[in-house]
Amino acid sequence: MNSRFRITRWHVMGWIFLATLLFFAVAPMVWMLITSFKSQFAALKYPPELIPQNPNLEQYERLLSPKNDVGRQFLRYMLNSIWVSTATTVFGVAVAVPAAYAFARFRFPGRKALFFSVLFRNMFPAVVFLMPLFIMMRWMGLVNTYTSLIITYLTFGLPLSIWLLKGFYDNIPVELEQAARIDGCTRFQAFYMVVMPLSAPGIIATAIYSFITAWNEYVYALTFLNDDEKLTLPVGLQRFFAEYATNWPGLMAASFIMSVPVVVMFLILQKYFVRALTEGAVKA
Amino acid sequence: MAQVDFVNVDKSYGSFRAVKDVSFTVGDGEFVALVGPSGCGKTTTLNLIAGLLDLTGGEIRVSGKVINDLDPKDRDIAMVFQNYALYPNKTVAQNLGFPLRMRKVAKAEIKDKVEEAARLLDITHLLDRYPRELSGGQQQRVALGRALVRDPQVFLMDEPLSNLDAKLRVQMRAELKRFHQDLNATVIYVTHDQLEAMTMADKMAVMSGGVLQQYDAPERVFEEPANLFVASFVGSPAMNLLPATRVERDGTVFATGEGWELTLSDRNGAAARRSETDAIILGARHSSLALHETETSGAIPARIYTVEPTGDLTYAHVEVGDKTFVISVPPDRRIAADQPVWIGFDQNKLHLFDAKTEQRIAQD
Ligand SMILES: Nc1ncnc2c1ncn2[C@@H]1O[C@H](COP(=O)(O)OP(=O)(O)OP(=O)(O)O)[C@@H](O)[C@H]1O
Ligand SMILES: [Mg+2]
């Protein structure tokens, strides 16, 4: 057989498919970026300029400088978002890792409920729980606190995180821990020194997933938080620009800044996912 | 090195009793093979010694000290796992050094000991590789090395050769035996390959259904199996077993079955008399039976079912009533399927079992 690469109809179809996908994923991002460099006036021009005539960083300077009101507020929202997302991630991982390990290694009553809770959570749109949760939060006096958001994100995110991580632990042979314990580890050391490093891709993927989910969440943040001071980025942005009406470049610049962490993390995530999938947690 | 005592050891998983009242002693420096069919409790027994499982009852002592409640790390025992259980994210050198590192041994000393173990096992050139970059045989050596570096009181090995190909298995078998002699180590070795047990062990512990069936030197287990299970499990091909009825006429004891009768020698007759009931079982290894092509006195009629030449020996599968015997004959013997034959017994090598208790009946 000729080993030279031959382009078949299937290849072409694959490429067309990928190109379409890429177009719909990337084009809005590109447009957002282009618009953010335009002046407010140029952004309204029709037909639109594909390449801005006088590109400038004015919007970015304004948003990222604490010296003016707009910047101060934007940075405030960003800090709020970072705080809520980070807390959700840290608590989430701190709970998910031991829980997933327990689900994978130990037998106890109620163990089967995990899969059900994952399914249950994903059966309904998140909004369905909005009112009941709001009433609960008010009853507990948690409305207008970050705690309410963090608790909500955790209850929504944890089942899936635990489920994902459990898959990793299921794939790590028990014998590795047994060997470690015979080699001089306590149960905890065996977990910490042998199992944990092997599940690192899973832990990182889970962490990033929790972070992105919390970072992007809009509906609950909108309902649970009242004070302008406390808003997270998605909600803040929306209010923010309602006030400044038609500043498209400003909106685009803010949106772009907001999506940077998501994109960066997604790139890391996919690298770990691919690694976790191709190498497997452990090669026996 | 140390002596290991099992005293009435019991282990249940929930309501399932996996190890039932097992008692035996592994002497200092002895190589004991734990054999038995799949699921008989071998790994469970090993894990009990290692401390990976808690006993439900009884005691395990190492050098006279009860270790029931010690953590695995405090037992000074090393284990080689069936799947090797090498740490995938550590190099060979790090794998070998790990037990020492956990015991806070100085860096320089770890390095020396790792190099020494590597030299002993001929894996020095592999020290910087990761387990996934090694062949099965090489991984096996590393697993052995990780057990060796520490100079533990007892070595536990759970089917360490079962993942190797036949040729490598024979080679590693010899190496393991040699290594045991050189180190004079106490080894408890799990295998379901009874040939491995026969060739390597000082003593053999045969288990079935969680019960220790026999604990003795391999040749004794082979020559005097304690019961029907051991008789049929040890030896390849398995011992031929023939149910019979004990009949006594004029002071002579016969074993009879459908269409045959065998006069038992005085010694075997006396033994047969000790059976609780008339039902006895005759046992004979393939090599102790003779195949006659004509009717012979003292031989029982049978029919060739099939003939299996293996090179050195030819195995004739022979039908006796509804039982099939395997009898070895020289390869140049001309026999064919469906041929009527007569099986002659060597009464000095005949085994007798009580069909009711399934225990061996001693002959003397
Ligand atoms: N964690 C467990 N829970 C319940 N039953 C178990 C557990 N581990 C083992 N068993 C049962 O205990 C019995 C003995 O198991 P064990 O692993 O000791 O067998 P083994 O002799 O090592 O078999 P093999 O030759 O297949 O490795 C088996 O019937 C098994 O099903
Ligand atoms: Mg086993």
Side-chain angles (χ1 to χ4, degrees):
Chain A
M1 275 296 289
N2 191 343
S3 67
R4 261 187 59 205
F5 185 72
R6 272 181 58 236
I7 297 173
T8 66
R9 220 178 310 166
W10 290 107
H11 288 124
V12 176
M13 272 162 72
W15 287 331
I16 292 174
F17 178 72
L18 279 179
T20 318
L21 218 66
L22 209 64
F23 177 77
F24 279 104
V26 173
M29 289 289 286
V30 172
W31 190 242
M32 179 164 81
L33 199 59
I34 291 173
T35 311
S36 72
F37 294 134
K38 291 180 183 171
S39 66
Q40 232 167 298
F41 176 69
L44 295 171
K45 253 168 78 176
Y46 191 85
E49 295 172 357
L50 281 183
I51 294 164
Q53 242 123 56
N54 305 303
N56 63 74
L57 291 173
E58 189 193 321
Q59 300 297 343
Y60 290 92
E61 277 160 18
R62 200 157 67 105
L63 284 170
L64 293 175
S65 143
K67 288 202 194 77
N68 63 70
D69 281 354
V70 177
R72 223 174 358 258
Q73 225 176 351
F74 182 78
L75 289 174
R76 174 87 237 164
Y77 295 153
M78 186 136 93
L79 275 181
N80 295 344
S81 262
I82 290 176
W83 161 236
V84 172
S85 308
T86 309
T88 305
T89 307
V90 170
F91 280 118
V93 169
V95 173
V97 167
Y101 182 71
F103 275 110
R105 286 289 190 266
F106 302 103
R107 254 129 264 281
F108 48 86
R111 200 171 149 270
K112 298 217 170 80
L114 175 66
F115 181 63
F116 182 72
S117 65
V118 175
L119 214 62
F120 187 77
R121 159 61 191 92
N122 287 292
M123 258 187 311
F124 306 100
V127 210
V128 170
F129 301 99
L130 186 61
M131 276 308 123
L133 267 174
F134 181 77
I135 293 164
M136 263 176 69
M137 291 300 170
R138 199 173 50 189
W139 179 64
M140 290 191 288
L142 290 176
V143 169
N144 203 24
T145 63
Y146 293 135
T147 317
S148 65
L149 278 190
I150 294 169
I151 290 177
T152 307
Y153 297 163
L154 284 177
T155 40
F156 283 178
L158 271 177
L160 187 62
S161 302
I162 296 173
W163 180 255
L164 281 174
L165 271 174
K166 178 181 173 291
F168 272 83
Y169 292 125
D170 283 338
N171 278 325
I172 299 176
V174 203
E175 282 87 358
L176 279 182
E177 278 159 76
Q178 298 184 330
R181 291 178 64 200
I182 289 173
D183 283 347
C185 293
T186 60
R187 237 177 207 285
F188 179 74
Q189 281 174 323
F191 173 73
Y192 179 76
M193 300 181 70
V194 173
V195 177
M196 205 114 110
L198 292 174
S199 62
I203 295 176
I204 292 172
T206 314
I208 293 175
Y209 173 78
S210 324
F211 191 92
I212 293 180
T213 318
W215 183 263
N216 286 338
E217 204 284 325
Y218 175 76
V219 177
Y220 280 84
L222 178 69
T223 315
F224 288 180
L225 302 176
N226 305 330
D227 290 357
D228 197 44
E229 294 288 88
K230 290 191 174 165
L231 298 187
T232 55
L233 260 186
V235 185
L237 272 189
Q238 190 249 348
R239 289 209 184 168
F240 191 39
F241 284 99
E243 290 166 28
Y244 297 82
T246 51
N247 182 358
W248 288 107
L251 183 60
M252 291 301 119
S255 307
F256 181 75
I257 295 172
M258 192 183 134
S259 36
V260 166
V262 178
V263 172
V264 169
M265 284 192 185
F266 204 81
L267 291 177
I268 303 174
L269 174 88
Q270 65 112 38
K271 183 185 133 203
Y272 275 101
F273 262 157
V274 170
R275 216 170 89 183
L277 288 178
T278 52
E279 273 179 23
V282 176
K283 234 181 110 199
Chain B
M1 286 300 145
Q3 173 178 316
V4 181
D5 298 287
F6 278 69
V7 188
N8 307 112
V9 170
D10 237 278
K11 172 66 193 178
S12 300
Y13 295 108
S15 60
F16 176 73
R17 239 174 121 198
V19 174
K20 297 173 188 156
D21 196 23
V22 167
S23 299
F24 64 98
T25 293
V26 181
D28 189 0
E30 262 180 353
F31 191 120
V32 168
L34 202 56
V35 302
S38 191
C40 72
K42 304 181 298 286
T43 300
T44 304
T45 306
L46 220 54
N47 287 350
L48 288 171
I49 313 175
L52 299 169
L53 290 173
D54 291 326
L55 282 83
T56 318
E59 261 179 23
I60 298 176
R61 296 189 208 123
V62 175
S63 302
K65 195 175 132 218
V66 179
I67 56 164
N68 287 19
D69 297 324
L70 286 185
D71 259 3
K73 70 183 173 60
D74 300 322
R75 294 195 180 197
D76 199 12
I77 277 169
M79 185 150 165
V80 179
F81 291 82
Q82 179 170 6
N83 61 4
Y84 312 136
L86 299 177
Y87 308 121
N89 51 346
K90 297 188 191 319
T91 63
V92 169
Q94 286 165 341
N95 264 282
L96 292 176
F98 189 71
L100 300 173
R101 205 180 113 208
M102 288 315 296
R103 284 181 169 70
K104 308 244 152 44
V105 175
K107 276 228 174 75
E109 197 184 334
I110 295 182
K111 193 162 174 280
D112 289 348
K113 289 215 163 146
V114 166
E115 276 166 10
E116 191 192 321
R119 208 173 321 115
L120 195 69
L121 292 163
D122 198 22
I123 48 174
T124 309
H125 58 295
L126 304 173
L127 282 176
D128 293 326
R129 293 216 200 154
Y130 285 91
R132 62 171 175 277
E133 301 164 339
L134 303 178
S135 72
Q138 291 167 335
Q139 290 185 17
Q140 209 277 336
R141 277 162 210 265
V142 178
L144 197 59
R146 191 174 62 184
L148 275 179
V149 278
R150 235 171 65 197
D151 194 17
Q153 295 210 58
V154 182
F155 285 96
L156 307 176
M157 303 191 189
D158 194 354
E159 311 206 21
L161 305 185
S162 63
N163 284 346
L164 304 180
D165 63 45
K167 194 171 156 227
L168 202 54
R169 189 148 53 194
V170 174
Q171 183 195 339
M172 284 307 294
R173 202 161 74 195
E175 281 184 31
L176 266 179
K177 188 168 182 174
R178 178 69 214 205
F179 141 83
H180 169 247
Q181 283 160 357
D182 289 348
L183 269 82
N184 200 23
T186 306
V187 179
I188 303 178
Y189 185 99
V190 166
T191 174
H192 60 236
D193 177 347
Q194 39 97 14
L195 187 66
E196 247 172 49
M198 297 289 291
T199 51
M200 290 200 285
D202 299 317
K203 286 214 183 119
M204 222 165 132
V206 186
M207 281 183 83
S208 169
V211 177
L212 182 62
Q213 305 287 333
Q214 187 168 8
Y215 181 56
D216 222 327
E219 56 279 10
R220 298 260 303 167
V221 174
F222 186 77
E223 280 158 18
E224 292 180 20
N227 55 39
L228 283 177
F229 172 80
V230 179
S232 57
F233 184 75
V234 175
S236 170
M239 183 186 281
N240 300 301
L241 296 170
L242 185 64
T245 308
R246 174 188 62 191
V247 178
E248 210 172 331
R249 280 195 308 264
D250 312 328
T252 312
V253 184
F254 303 87
T256 64
E258 228 171 285
W260 60 270
E261 185 173 79
L262 182 69
T263 315
L264 294 179
S265 68
D266 291 348
R267 192 178 76 115
N268 288 332
R273 278 199 191 99
R274 287 196 289 273
S275 172
E276 264 187 52
T277 65
D278 283 346
I280 56 171
I281 290 168
L282 308 180
R285 300 237 177 249
H286 62 92
S287 54
S288 73
L289 294 168
L291 210 53
H292 305 287
E293 274 148 82
T294 52
E295 188 164 356
T296 310
S297 78
I300 65 172
R303 172 179 295 275
I304 303 275
Y305 179 68
T306 179
V307 181
E308 275 181 0
T310 65
D312 283 349
L313 280 178
T314 294
Y315 291 111
H317 293 242
V318 184
E319 282 178 335
V320 188
D322 58 351
K323 292 273 163 197
T324 304
F325 273 27
V326 179
I327 302 174
S328 57
V329 294
D332 51 1
R333 197 59 197 269
R334 295 262 157 262
I335 40 176
D338 291 329
Q339 183 182 340
V341 287
W342 285 263
I343 301 172
F345 289 82
D346 178 345
Q347 297 252 348
N348 289 323
K349 290 185 176 168
L350 192 66
H351 302 260
L352 284 171
F353 300 92
D354 185 324
K356 188 169 159 239
T357 62
E358 302 198 341
Q359 297 301 305
R360 173 189 192 79
I361 308 172
Q363 300 146 302
D364 41 19

